[in-house]
Amino acid sequence: MTTLSLPQLRLPRLLGPATWLRALLAWRIAHTVVVAAGLWWALTSEALEGPGRIAAIAAASIILLIDLGGVVGLALRRSFGRSLSLAADYLTFLGAILVLFQRNDVFRGLDALGATFIRGVPFGLIAILAWVVTGWGEQQGTLVQLRRIARYVAWFAVGAMLLAVGLLPGIATFLARTAEPYGLGLVTVALVSGYLAWRTFQSDVAEELEVTNQTTRTLDGLLFASPNLLGFTAFFAGPLIFSLFVSLTEWDAFGDPEFVGLANYAQILALNVGIASGGQSPSEVLAPGYFTWFTVGNVVVGAQDVMFWRSIRNIFVFTLFALPLSTIPALFLATLLNSKAPGIKVFRAIYFVPSIAGVVAVALIWRQLFDSTIGWLNYLISLAVSGLNNIPGLTLTDPRIQWLSDADIALFSLVIVFSWMFIGYNAVLFLAGLQGVDRTLYEAAMIDGANRWQRFRNITLPSLRPTTFFVVASTGILTLQLFGENVVLFPTTTPIGAGPQNSTLTPVVYLYEQGFRRFAFGYASAVAWVLFVLIFLFTLVQFRRQRAQAEG
Amino acid sequence: MAVVTGSKRRRVLERVGLYAGLGAFGAIMLFPFLVVAFGSLKESSDIFRFPPRLLPYSQDTVEIDGEDQGLYVIDGIERVLLETITVGLYAPPDALEDTVVVPTADTERRGGFLDAETVEIDGEEVPLYDVEVDGEVVAMVERSTTTQGRFAALDDPDDVVGANVRLAEQVDSVDPQPQNFRRVTELQNLDRSLTNPLLVTLLVVGGTVLTSILGGYAFARIEFPGRDAMFLVYIGSIMVPFVILIVPLYQLMVALGWVNSLASLVFPFVFNAYGTFLIRQFFVSIPKDLEEAAVIDGASRWTILWRIFVPLSTPAIATLSTFMFLYAWNSFIWPFIVISAGNFDNHVLTVSLQQLGGRAADSPNLILAGVMIAIAVPVTVFVLAQRYFVENVATSGIK
């Protein structure tokens, strides 16, 4: 297979491949020394602290390892020396640019853009329109003149857009800050390492080291995947590992994390059971440090962190109701939607809308409906009650439900909101599954005289098993992370979103309270990991069940 | 023949049942939206009215002496509210059940303020009033006072009656208040809350599409050792719930100085495993011979990606864009945590609405107007790109 190359930049190739490799080795050694010095500084200096320090140490260590490998490889004239050297220089190049941007407030400059960018939108629309016209002209094959004009218009509109959003002052500020010694240093580092990476990447250097196609492909692949891989490391894998570490520490907003081992987990999970006999109060029979969670008869169950266990109980009850309510009706709705009757797509669209409206909008809508004095829900209920009371012998009282302020009701109000939001979405998921069911199975069953229910029970349900697993698992993951609905419906309770008498306190609400109101980051991280294990177990059980059913 | 007509009748009945079921569910789904849509056009007195009405109403008025006065129906006659006065319920001290209703302005304390006469009733000293009843001045005690409206008949200005204003039936007509939408944007810098999420959403969608195309191409078409394991780990990250990242990601934002900045809403979210997966799956399905001609011509991978793969992948890119659009526009937990409540300049709409909901409980009509704006954007995108939404749902189901 022909080796594919990356975009061809035409830069001068300063040295021949053999000389270049010797020069690269010298650079690599120098680079290694500088990175090692940087690592030493990060390890000893007081200037860095917290996660920034950890990230700097991790990054410097990784680059140092790559550098050392590169030095060895280049000295032995092996192809892995080139690969590692490329990686180190590419990372240095990116790092220098990112640090320059970060120091010059390019990223935070988005805030200023937030105020001005709306002025650029009309020009942006013109540019898109003109760009569409160039494409349209292309399809026609003629109209060369129109295409050319449209292209000019597009470029002009892009320029106008950049001017309108205030790009010029932004660039001026950026250049002024870059002109300082620190900025110039970073620019130099970026240019040098960028050129080095490019030159080392050229095929003559590769041939000099007899690099295989396999290695070239690997480098290409890693280069294309590098934005994702680096972003994944910086914003997912790194934080994930950091979170695990933080959960083993005690850490408030000020000062450094203090390692405490599994103490956070122990405190979260600790339960204690006692039996109250002969007029003892529940708190007397529990070990010191434990508080009553609930009592059954004279058995007292206590926990060190009652709030956490309350949140677990709440989310369990919530899931118990919300999961069936948002999936089972969805399945029946999907069987209704799975027909060729006219207008079916309109209904499908209507059912889908609540799930795209966003949790805040949906919760605010329902807050209006839930209002106990002027809300529609109580009004419709009282209409129904008075209607039913016309039936002789029936006397119902209007319940006048306090949807959001009754501690026994509030959690079920959330069940209603959640189910309403996701029934339609789940129905469309089920519909996609239904449309994949083999139609000949139904025909065979009808010949055998199977009735509608038998067909549903024996063909539809088994065929839908993978879809059902996906729907139940993804809905369950959502229910276990309930947070937004609480915060919008109960904005004034303490903790925020906990509802009347903590009746809607969920694990994420509790996590938010611990992490961002009390600034107990270590404890909050431990709560997050416990919740993660819970979600993982839930998914695992669903998966096992699906597998068992598929086999059995 | 009978069999055929029987099955035909059954089919018609089935259709009726189908539409009845679909319609009932549709009503449940649609009705709350109607309440919001019309509620956002109501004036505040109308939204607090019981029983609630769907359409926005306001009271009809009649101009009297240059001022608008409300129109009511009392005992079947249309009347104008002239003024509200305080009336008292008066009774003689010896016959407390013989009450008369007289405006308090028409009575006087017996003996004046300095030397007020009182009478003892149930052990309490109660002041006496001069009340004129049938042309005669009688000493009475005040049992209670209340406000009452004086209503003149529309066709006979001299026909004036008194009645309780709150119990009088208003003459209303449909009168939408579109200015609610302007008024809500004037609350706590909501105009920035509208443009900010637009910018954030555009950048997240654009960034995700870009990184997903690059990553999807690498994972679909460039074979190298460890690629599939890497891909599996990357895809596995979809299963990790976001809540686990909240605390460490917040710390990272603190370290970068991005707390309270729109940067924290954009950059962590442009590297998306789901997007890479989606694009990769589509790229894998593109036949290899399409690119072979270009390879022979010596085109680079870069050229092949942008000239061959991307133009062929518009459905997948559109699907990803709609998905990311919704995700970014509706995201709430993260902005709620990372943008502080007082920093109105960098608010996004979801956070502003949540705050508004907590604060402005006295103007639900304005909040509903804000909700309408928040819904209008995704619904518009949905109407324009419905095909891709449903496709997205279908692919996530197959996954």
Side-chain angles (χ1 to χ4, degrees), chain A residues 5 102 108 111 117 214 217 220 227-228 239 333 342 351 356 365 367 373-374 379 420 452 470 487 521, chain B residues 14 19 22 28 47 50-51 192 195 211 223 225 234 251 256-258 262 271 300-301 330 346 354 357 396:
Chain A
S5 59
Q102 169 72 13
R108 273 188 302 187
D111 298 349
F117 98 102
Q214 172 73 44
R217 271 207 305 278
D220 278 1
N228 275 302
L333 206 54
Y351 300 154
I356 60 167
I365 291 172
R367 204 180 70 156
T373 50
I374 55 153
Y379 175 59
W420 181 79
R452 186 173 289 237
F470 179 76
V487 172
F521 294 126
Chain B
E14 262 177 24
Y19 283 121
L22 290 174
I28 294 174
I47 202 143
F50 185 87
R192 279 299 297 275
T195 53
T211 61
E223 279 167 39
Y234 195 33
Q251 293 304 326
L256 289 171
W258 289 0
L262 295 181
F271 309 100
S300 68
R301 285 195 197 282
N330 287 333
N346 290 337
Q354 188 273 335
S396 61

Side-chain angles (χ1 to χ4, degrees), chain B residues 119-166:
Chain B
V119 64
E120 197 183 296
I121 294 174
D122 295 339
E124 257 182 88
E125 292 290 318
V126 183
L128 276 173
Y129 290 84
D130 279 335
V131 181
E132 203 181 304
V133 181
D134 299 331
E136 239 179 287
V137 176
V138 188
M140 288 187 169
V141 293
E142 193 178 84
R143 307 276 328 259
S144 63
T145 60
T146 177
T147 50
Q148 200 180 51
R150 287 165 53 72
F151 299 88
L154 202 55
D155 39 13
D156 178 13
D158 295 330
D159 174 13
V160 176
V161 298
N164 190 321
V165 177
R166 252 177 297 165

Side-chain angles (χ1 to χ4, degrees), chain A residues 457-492:
Chain A
R457 179 75 192 76
N458 296 318
I459 300 173
T460 312
L461 276 185
S463 312
L464 272 182
R465 231 167 244 148
T467 314
T468 312
F469 161 70
F470 179 76
V471 170
V472 172
S474 60
T475 311
I477 289 170
L478 283 177
T479 62
L480 292 173
Q481 294 186 72
L482 188 74
F483 176 75
E485 287 89 341
N486 303 46
V487 172
V488 178
L489 286 174
F490 308 103
T492 51

Side-chain angles (χ1 to χ4, degrees), chain A residues 183-247:
Chain A
L184 288 177
L186 283 171
V187 170
T188 316
V189 171
L191 287 178
V192 169
S193 51
Y195 179 78
L196 282 158
W198 173 81
R199 181 68 186 91
T200 313
F201 199 72
Q202 296 309 302
S203 51
D204 56 344
V205 179
E207 279 155 24
E208 180 74 17
L209 288 178
E210 290 165 1
V211 170
T212 57
N213 276 353
Q214 172 73 44
T215 310
T216 310
R217 271 207 305 278
T218 308
L219 289 175
D220 278 1
L222 289 176
L223 183 60
F224 272 98
S226 61
N228 275 302
L229 297 180
L230 293 174
F232 175 80
T233 313
F235 296 118
F236 183 85
L240 199 68
I241 295 165
F242 183 62
S243 160
L244 200 56
F245 162 71
V246 171
S247 75

